[in-house]
């Protein structure tokens, strides 16, 4: 059973399964993070949804590049969690199945491509305090502190 974090599903809502891949990216004693600035400001582990026909590893590399502009190497899966949320950018209720990896940031090759995302570099304690969801916080706490 994959652990649920956050709120339980709301009665009478239909949730669509949305698998995703997310990365903990240690960088010189700190961590690369992404902040989504719209529709609300939210600090997150870089990553996102796995597209149809895409492997979790392909999605991880693509999403990290889109959200923070970095190439990564040696990703290693740490685990997964589920959370039930409303995704306003897609106007859908989602059961997010979040696969979490740790990877080595190789180099930044561009600014983030994802609209309304900025790259942050935070200490472990700053990142844990700022993360917008309990699942990201749980994995970063296990890994980073």
């Amino acid at each position: 059973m994959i652990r649920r974090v956050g709120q339980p599903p709301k009665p009478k809502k239909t949730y669509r399964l949305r698998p995703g891949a997310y990365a903990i990216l240690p960088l010189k004693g700190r961590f690369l993070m992404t902040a989504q600035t719209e529709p609300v400001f939210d600090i997150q582990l870089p990553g996102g949804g796995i597209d149809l026909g895409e492997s979790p590893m392909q999605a991880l590399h693509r999403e990290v590049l889109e959200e923070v502009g970095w190439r990564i190497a040696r990703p290693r899966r740490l685990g997964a969690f589920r959370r039930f949320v409303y995704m306003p950018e897609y106007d859908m209720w989602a059961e997010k199945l979040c696969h979490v990896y740790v990877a080595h940031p190789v180099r930044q090759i561009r600014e983030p491509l994802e609209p309304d995302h900025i790259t942050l570099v935070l200490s472990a304690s700053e990142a844990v305090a700022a993360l917008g969801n309990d699942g990201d916080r749980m994995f970063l706490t296990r890994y980073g502190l």
Side-chain angles (χ1 to χ4, degrees):
M1 171 75 67
I2 296 174
R3 181 177 175 175
R4 177 188 54 83
V5 298
Q7 298 296 315
K10 294 183 184 296
K12 300 181 183 177
K13 295 288 181 194
T14 300
Y15 290 84
R16 186 170 149 197
L17 183 62
R18 181 72 171 138
Y22 302 86
I24 294 173
L25 301 172
L27 182 68
K28 299 179 184 175
R30 299 171 67 85
F31 293 90
L32 283 174
M33 310 294 289
T34 188
Q36 183 173 340
T37 59
E38 295 292 334
V40 294
F41 190 84
D42 186 33
I43 296 178
Q44 309 161 353
L45 294 178
I50 300 169
D51 292 337
L52 189 62
E54 189 176 47
S55 73
M57 202 59 58
Q58 289 168 322
L60 184 70
H61 284 272
R62 177 184 53 75
E63 286 284 349
V64 169
L65 185 60
E66 289 175 358
E67 292 191 353
V68 294
W70 281 71
R71 293 274 186 212
I72 59 173
R74 301 188 310 274
R76 179 175 51 93
R77 189 174 184 276
L78 299 176
F81 66 93
R82 296 178 313 138
R83 62 189 200 117
F84 294 86
V85 298
Y86 177 69
M87 298 177 70
E89 62 272 29
Y90 300 104
D91 189 27
M92 80 175 188
W93 291 90
E95 176 186 358
K96 294 186 80 171
L97 177 55
C98 305
H99 300 275
V100 181
Y101 297 79
V102 61
H104 175 73
V106 176
R107 66 185 172 101
Q108 185 176 20
I109 63 167
R110 64 172 63 134
E111 291 299 313
L113 296 173
E114 194 75 28
D116 303 318
H117 280 70
I118 57 174
T119 303
L120 304 173
V121 182
L122 302 173
S123 71
S125 60
E126 290 169 332
V128 166
L131 279 166
N133 78 72
D134 293 336
D136 287 357
R137 191 175 301 106
M138 175 180 71
F139 274 94
L140 186 59
T141 299
R142 286 181 186 167
Y143 179 84
L145 298 178

